[in-house]
Each structure stands twice: as C-alpha cells, then as structure tokens.
C-alpha cells in the first residue's frame, strides 16, 4: 500500500507531515500560501526546486509572498518587498552587502547575518507534495511573526 496515497486528501499525513498539494498545481502557482499547524508557510517553486519558508519576513513581518527571487553570491534568495532584505531559500540566512574594516584594502562583498528565517522541508511522492515543519531547536527570528504578538504588529503595519 502506498502510504502517501492512503493519506492523501486527509491533509495531515504521517505525524508532522502535511500534504500541501499536487506537484503540478504547485508548480503552476509558483507560490502557494498554506497554514500548517497554525504556522503560515510559503511554498515556492523556482527553477525546478521546491522551497518552504516562514511567510513573514523576520525583520518586520513583510509579506515574502510578493518578493522577487534572485541569485546572490551563488545562493537563491527571496527579497522582502518591504525593506529589501535578502533571505536564502535553502537556509533562511539573511545576506547583506558590506565591508570588513579589518581588511586592507577592504572590498564590498556579501556577508551573512546567520539564519533568521525558518525553513521547512519539502518532499514529493507520486505527484504529491508534503511539508514537514522545521523542528530546529531554539529561537529563529521569523518565529516572532508567527506568534500572537507578531500577528498584532503585522496587522498594524
Ligand atoms: Fe522584510 Fe523589513 S520587513 S525587510
């Protein structure tokens, strides 16, 4: 018995594994918004790859759904439409351009602020797509805009 087929249509599959849609539909949509276990997640299909990322920007709750996607420093990034922060789709790292004052001469290049946006795991089986929410321990800044306080702030912005 194909486990995924049995569970398809029930939305919830194995514990923690969420059916989010048919592969073809998600590819056509390019970006799909889903609420999984109360968490708002953006599923992106870009250049043949699926990504799942917290849908509100860690900086000030901007809607990543409307952000452009660009390759920066060899990494695919979504650019928050609000203040143009650049977030890698694979790791959730926030990239910025700067100079290291310890270098002489110092040149402008890309640096990482570290992981700021929670990234979730996407899997496919038999034309169906599933997301497993990240269980990375500890606080990741985008968690704030998934909580009650963050929701209130988003609504005001
Ligand atoms: Fe995303 Fe400020 S809210 S860059």
């Amino acid at each position: 018995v194909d486990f995924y087929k049995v569970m398809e249509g029930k939305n919830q599959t194995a514990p923690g594994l969420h059916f989010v849609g048919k592969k073809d539909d998600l590819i056509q949509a390019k970006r799909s918004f889903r609420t999984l276990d109360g968490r708002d997640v953006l599923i992106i299909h870009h250049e043949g790859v699926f990504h799942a990322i917290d849908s509100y920007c860690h900086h000030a709750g901007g809607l990543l759904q409307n952000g452009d996607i660009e390759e920066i420093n060899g990494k695919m990034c979504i650019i928050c439409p609000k203040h143009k922060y650049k977030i890698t789709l694979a790791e959730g790292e926030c990239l910025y351009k700067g100079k290291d004052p310890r270098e002489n001469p110092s040149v402008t290049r890309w640096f990482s602020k570290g992981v700021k946006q929670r990234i979730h795991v996407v899997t496919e089986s038999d034309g169906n797509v599933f997301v497993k929410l990240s269980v990375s321990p500890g606080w990741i800044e985008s968690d704030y805009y998934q909580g009650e306080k963050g929701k209130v702030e988003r609504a005001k912005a």
Side-chain angles (χ1 to χ4, degrees):
V1 181
D2 183 331
F3 175 76
Y4 293 102
K5 266 207 178 119
V6 171
M7 301 310 285
E8 183 197 337
K10 294 185 181 170
N11 198 36
Q12 180 78 24
T13 56
L17 200 62
H18 301 267
F19 171 70
V20 292
K22 290 282 184 193
K23 184 178 175 181
D24 292 347
D25 294 341
L26 294 172
I27 289 174
Q28 206 178 357
K30 292 192 178 88
R31 294 166 194 214
S32 309
F33 178 91
R34 297 284 185 275
T35 301
L36 310 173
D37 278 349
R39 193 162 195 106
D40 293 338
V41 172
L42 179 61
I43 296 142
I44 296 171
H45 187 265
H46 185 79
E47 294 188 352
V49 182
F50 278 111
H51 302 275
I53 183 168
D54 274 1
S55 56
Y56 310 115
C57 176
H58 65 277
H59 176 228
L63 293 177
L64 294 182
Q65 181 137 9
N66 304 325
D68 291 335
I69 295 175
E70 263 179 39
E71 193 177 316
I72 295 172
N73 213 20
K75 295 185 169 189
M76 213 46 92
C77 294
I78 190 153
I79 302 172
C80 178
K82 214 165 182 183
H83 312 102
K84 308 291 179 207
Y85 276 30
K86 289 134 184 82
I87 301 163
T88 66
L89 287 173
E91 303 89 0
E93 278 184 77
C94 186
L95 302 183
Y96 69 99
K97 220 172 199 180
K99 286 183 179 188
D100 184 343
R102 292 167 300 185
E103 289 173 357
N104 190 12
S106 63
V107 285
T108 304
R109 57 187 175 87
W110 290 100
F111 291 89
S112 170
K113 292 183 191 175
V115 175
K116 301 290 180 183
Q117 197 79 21
R118 206 175 269 279
I119 300 293
H120 309 283
V121 179
V122 186
T123 52
E124 294 173 39
S125 174
D126 208 12
N128 299 314
V129 179
F130 302 86
V131 168
K132 189 176 182 356
L133 291 176
S134 152
V135 288
S136 287
W139 177 257
I140 294 180
E141 283 182 35
S142 67
D143 292 345
Y144 180 77
Y145 289 99
Q146 300 284 343
E148 281 310 312
K149 272 192 189 165
K151 272 187 194 160
V152 172
E153 253 182 59
R154 276 195 342 253
K156 281 192 281 187

